[in-house]
Amino acid sequence: MWGKPGETQPTQNSSPQGNPVQANPAPANPAPAIRPPATSANVPGNGPASTMKPEGPTIFGKTMRIVGDVSSNEELFVDGELEGKLDLKNRLTIGPESKVKANIKAKEVIVFGSVRGNVEAEDRIALRAGATIVGDIKTAGIIIEDGAYFKGGIDISKTEAPKPNQRSAAAGDKR
């Protein structure tokens, strides 16, 4: 192969057309490249102070059944069965296939499925067409679409207005 002309070289298998044939052909499906998990250090544009954020809500799927208390700071989408207590610091979406028997407390609650229990939302509760809630509701705002079913009491809580002495310092600086 690389020897000088006239030196003996090991022979290579050849096809009838005279083209060399590889002894070990490359596999048809090479193994995928393994990449390290993304961290703030190895994601372009992220410095050490950056944190990774999930791209969407945590999902409890249609085939999941959970019995117990669930608490989280993350957004949650439930489309399975849940029995117990839900305490979230973010948005909760009850999917169309869900059957929830729980007392719920969250920042915002959107219901497409079925809920049996009391629901408390800091911002608002939305019952979409086809939703069912049997229980009491406490929230600052509520949306009930045509086709939704609700049986219980509603307590509309006031959102606290800022007190006069808590206004921003910038407003006092404009004199």
Side-chain angles (χ1 to χ4, degrees), residues 82-103:
L82 189 131
E83 186 175 335
K85 179 180 167 185
L86 273 168
D87 188 6
L88 303 177
K89 304 284 188 248
N90 210 320
R91 177 186 299 158
L92 170 66
T93 303
I94 306 294
E97 302 295 321
S98 64
K99 292 182 177 131
V100 176
K101 292 180 184 175
N103 289 327

Side-chain angles (χ1 to χ4, degrees), residues 139-153:
T139 185
I142 189 163
I143 299 168
I144 302 176
E145 290 183 355
D146 289 343
Y149 176 79
F150 170 68
K151 182 177 182 182

Side-chain angles (χ1 to χ4, degrees), residues 20-106:
V21 176
Q22 290 181 338
N24 294 324
N29 294 326
I34 298 173
R35 296 181 184 173
T39 63
S40 61
N42 65 8
V43 173
N46 286 344
S50 300
T51 58
M52 298 295 292
K53 294 186 180 180
E55 292 185 23
T58 301
I59 299 173
F60 287 168
K62 294 177 185 180
T63 61
M64 294 181 75
R65 184 172 194 274
I66 298 169
V67 177
D69 296 350
V70 176
S71 63
S72 177
N73 292 333
E74 298 178 25
E75 183 178 346
L76 182 63
F77 180 89
V78 177
D79 209 19
E81 292 184 37
L82 189 131
E83 186 175 335
K85 179 180 167 185
L86 273 168
D87 188 6
L88 303 177
K89 304 284 188 248
N90 210 320
R91 177 186 299 158
L92 170 66
T93 303
I94 306 294
E97 302 295 321
S98 64
K99 292 182 177 131
V100 176
K101 292 180 184 175
N103 289 327
I104 298 170
K105 185 174 183 179

